Amino acid sequence: MSRKMNVLVALLLGICLLGSASMAFAKGKTDVEMERTEINHMSERALNNLYRERPEARDSVDNCYAYATISSSSVKVLVLGSARGRGLAVNNNTGENVYLHMKGMNAGLGFAAKEYDLIFLITNEDAWKNFVAGKTRFSGSASASASDGVKGGSFDGAAYVADGVWVYQVTTKGLALEASIGGTKIYPDKELNKY
């Protein structure tokens, strides 16, 4: 093969590799955008399911400092159980959106699998910062209808789960009267939050 031919082959090979890398990068970006869109739809669906059960919750979501939705599923076999989910936190004051992951472990005898939505009400800036940084520690379980601790009101049907944070749990059977999210970790999704 001549020297010119080697240079031409090397050049064509380089162009092909560069094109493949560009396509892989574009595919990755498209996958991220598709996943964000899917989570946005899940968040919308979770809110609509809540509003169907508790129409008055719309005012609580709209007027609190921030809110978050997590769509999750859990499985329990014998004494161990785990939960996984994805979601979106929205700051009503700043307009900031943060995509989230959820992992949880729980104990207790039984066999079960369920899907559910968690809708969190976040009442102040400190609670927001802790929540979206993955620093919120949730209490084991709480009964519904807790005081918001800020305005002296209450979030009817929501359970107090951490300082400045309440949650509605909506299952396929409706609004749960008790939220069991002890051992749950919610943290930001590094890939989806890159812009």
Side-chain angles (χ1 to χ4, degrees), residues 66-69 87-91 96-100 122 128 131-132:
Y67 69 90
T69 63
L88 175 66
V90 177
N91 188 314
E96 180 183 5
N97 289 351
V98 178
Y99 291 92
L100 304 166
I122 303 165
W128 163 260
F131 192 91
V132 298

Side-chain angles (χ1 to χ4, degrees), residues 158-187:
Y160 177 81
V161 291
D163 189 28
V165 182
W166 286 258
V167 67
Y168 294 99
Q169 184 173 356
V170 182
T171 69
T172 53
K173 295 179 181 178
L175 187 67
L177 296 178
E178 187 173 293
S180 299
I181 61 171
T184 297
K185 173 112 174 120
I186 295 173
Y187 54 97

Side-chain angles (χ1 to χ4, degrees), residues 11-126:
L11 185 60
L12 288 174
L13 188 59
I15 290 171
C16 288
L17 289 173
L18 185 61
S20 297
S22 297
M23 286 177 21
F25 176 76
K27 181 181 183 298
K29 185 171 175 136
T30 301
D31 290 346
V32 166
E33 289 170 356
M34 286 173 45
E35 194 166 345
R36 284 183 191 140
T37 299
E38 182 182 345
I39 291 171
N40 291 343
H41 288 308
M42 290 187 321
S43 179
E44 212 173 287
R45 188 201 72 228
L47 289 171
N48 288 332
N49 289 341
L50 171 63
Y51 300 154
R52 190 168 34 257
E53 294 293 322
R54 291 256 184 209
E56 66 277 11
R58 184 183 300 270
D59 285 337
S60 297
V61 170
D62 289 345
N63 294 315
C64 65
Y65 184 84
Y67 69 90
T69 63
I70 302 281
S71 295
S72 56
S73 58
S74 66
V75 177
K76 183 181 282 191
V77 178
L78 295 176
V79 295
L80 292 177
S82 68
R84 295 182 109 34
R86 299 181 303 163
L88 175 66
V90 177
N91 188 314
N92 286 330
N93 287 353
T94 65
E96 180 183 5
N97 289 351
V98 178
Y99 291 92
L100 304 166
H101 274 296
M102 182 194 89
K103 281 195 271 189
M105 296 295 289
N106 52 49
L109 193 58
F111 293 93
K114 67 178 181 176
E115 291 186 2
Y116 55 94
D117 295 316
L118 299 170
I119 298 90
F120 294 90
L121 302 175
I122 303 165
T123 61
N124 59 65
E125 185 177 4
D126 288 339

Side-chain angles (χ1 to χ4, degrees), residues 1-10:
M1 225 188 237
S2 72
R3 185 170 181 262
K4 285 184 180 180
M5 189 65 117
N6 286 340
V7 171
L8 184 59
V9 168

